[in-house]
Amino acid sequence: IVQWTPFFQTYKKQRYPWVQLAGHQGNFKAGPEPGTVLKKLCPKEEECFQILMQDLLRPYVPVFKGQVTSEDGDPVYLQLQDLLSDYVQPCVMDCKVGVRTYLEEELSKAKEKPKLRKDMYDKMIQIDAQAPTLEEHAAKAVTKPRYMVWRETISSTATLGFRIEGIKKSDGTSSKDFKTTKSREQIKLAFMEFLSGHAQILPRYIQRLRAIRATLAVSEFFQTHEVIGSSLLFVHDHNHASIWLIDFAKTVSLPPELHIDHYSAWKVGNHEDGYLIGINNLIDIFVELQAA
Ligand code: ATP
Ligand code: MG
Ligand code: MG
């Protein structure tokens, strides 16, 4: 369980509780420079940030300021721009984009020795008693690859190409309870709640999402990477709003001869991530909310 406020951040003489909507506790801490945070180093993620700092997507990701090693024997961290630092009591939402949130290699590894897992069967029936097949019910167990594929179908990930990971409102109320938020209607209700009291922000989010889509279409980084488990971080307060791409720990460069369009259906081995399915659905849903 992640703590909402792992630490207090100080910026321009203001002290505010920092918000963490996903990830492990202890993965983040306040940065050594004002307006920065530290995220525990993952070499793959650092590689992505290095490329992104030279890419057309740069305005849409937190500024990467290099590695930081702390004296107290802590692990190495990436120093990133704190995306919350220009906001006053911000509302924050993390949406994980794509039709799957595991890498092809994680699935093939799970398939190597597909042991029957009772724990995964138990998790499955807790959410949906109808989900296991007759065989699986008889064995009271499922394999890990089977569980991994099924898990993406309980949220909107497999169908809409994104899911809500967490929402924190400016009044402090919050939820991470979106594991089974799946239908378009459920998503719309959650977005409406996120925006309530700030309807003037909606056109800015739509504009920003469209700018992100247009930039993805010309980004060298996006053309050459499979983007898995990455999120869009939505942040607004009374005055302004923005959206950034974050979390590249599972974003990997594609084999050189392989091309994906980020939109075609994923089949095992084709590396499609469905990132643009998610972006398009997000734009459509926000536009529907504006018309409502
Ligand atoms: P997971 O893989 O479980 O999603 P993670 O450890 O890779 O987690 P991130 O997803 O990068 O971590 O970040 C977790 C949360 O921390 C985000 O949902 C967001 O609330 C916050 N966060 C991350 N980076 C920033 C940033 N640069 N500025 C402000 N908030 C951030
Ligand atoms: Mg994340
Ligand atoms: Mg991550």
Side-chain angles (χ1 to χ4, degrees):
I1 302 273
V2 183
Q3 217 180 311
W4 288 107
T5 305
F7 55 85
F8 274 73
Q9 178 72 295
T10 313
Y11 187 64
K12 292 181 182 161
K13 302 219 168 76
Q14 300 284 323
R15 211 172 115 81
Y16 59 91
W18 198 72
V19 178
Q20 183 183 340
L21 292 179
H24 291 285
Q25 187 162 355
N27 268 11
F28 287 88
K29 54 184 201 174
E33 286 170 44
T36 67
V37 284
L38 299 181
K39 179 177 179 181
K40 220 171 251 177
L41 173 105
C42 156
K44 277 206 184 118
E45 182 162 40
E46 177 174 30
E47 214 174 288
C48 288
F49 272 117
Q50 272 162 351
I51 302 169
L52 282 164
M53 288 302 100
Q54 314 291 327
D55 191 87
L56 292 168
L57 279 172
R58 184 184 161 114
Y60 303 96
V61 300
V63 176
F64 170 57
K65 304 199 172 199
Q67 280 190 11
V68 172
T69 327
S70 27
E71 329 69 54
D72 51 9
D74 271 356
V76 182
Y77 290 85
L78 302 178
Q79 190 179 355
L80 299 170
Q81 173 192 1
D82 179 2
L83 301 170
L84 306 183
S85 58
D86 288 323
Y87 293 80
V88 179
Q89 292 185 348
C91 302
V92 189
M93 174 169 72
D94 180 311
C95 288
K96 200 165 264 200
V97 184
V99 291
R100 66 189 154 94
T101 60
Y102 49 82
L103 290 163
E104 297 249 12
E105 65 179 52
E106 293 177 272
L107 187 65
S108 45
K109 211 171 158 204
K111 280 182 175 171
E112 273 169 20
K113 287 179 231 145
K115 272 190 300 180
L116 283 173
R117 297 277 299 259
K118 187 171 178 358
D119 57 327
M120 291 179 176
Y121 172 83
D122 289 341
K123 280 191 197 168
M124 208 171 190
I125 55 170
Q126 256 179 32
I127 288 171
D128 180 3
Q130 319 285 312
T133 62
L134 288 175
E135 261 186 342
E136 288 164 345
H137 274 308
K140 294 204 183 324
V142 298
T143 66
K144 185 172 176 188
R146 156 79 167 126
Y147 179 77
M148 286 167 77
V149 172
W150 168 79
R151 202 179 42 191
E152 308 291 34
T153 67
I154 64 176
S155 73
S156 51
T157 287
T159 46
L160 295 176
F162 75 90
R163 69 166 179 248
I164 302 172
E165 289 277 297
I167 289 179
K168 173 126 179 164
K169 303 260 330 248
S170 55
D171 61 10
T173 57
S174 57
S175 176
K176 285 185 185 122
D177 196 10
F178 296 104
K179 275 196 174 48
T180 57
T181 301
K182 176 169 180 166
S183 73
R184 224 181 158 84
E185 274 321 299
Q186 288 174 306
I187 294 277
K188 271 185 165 178
L189 286 173
F191 285 176
M192 274 157 75
E193 175 61 22
F194 174 61
L195 288 161
S196 68
H198 301 92
Q200 75 283 7
I201 292 307
L202 194 44
R204 302 210 206 159
Y205 274 151
I206 294 170
Q207 197 178 33
R208 180 82 171 173
L209 284 169
R210 286 185 169 142
I212 287 170
R213 180 168 61 185
T215 308
L216 290 170
V218 292
S219 158
E220 169 94 23
F221 177 87
F222 194 59
Q223 271 170 51
T224 53
H225 286 75
E226 177 181 349
V227 185
I228 301 296
S230 179
S231 285
L232 290 176
L233 194 70
F234 294 69
V235 186
H236 69 263
D237 60 17
H238 275 291
N239 301 312
H240 43 303
S242 201
I243 305 172
W244 288 273
L245 281 67
I246 62 163
D247 196 359
F248 302 101
K250 280 195 188 183
T251 293
V252 290
S253 61
L254 287 160
E257 68 288 359
L258 201 100
H259 176 78
I260 63 172
D261 61 16
H262 301 277
Y263 194 76
S264 300
W266 173 61
K267 295 190 190 76
V268 175
N270 78 357
H271 289 264
E272 287 292 351
D273 55 22
Y275 197 94
L276 292 177
I277 297 174
I279 297 287
N280 286 341
N281 278 317
L282 278 163
I283 293 173
D284 289 352
I285 291 170
F286 274 96
V287 167
E288 282 169 34
L289 286 179
Q290 193 177 33

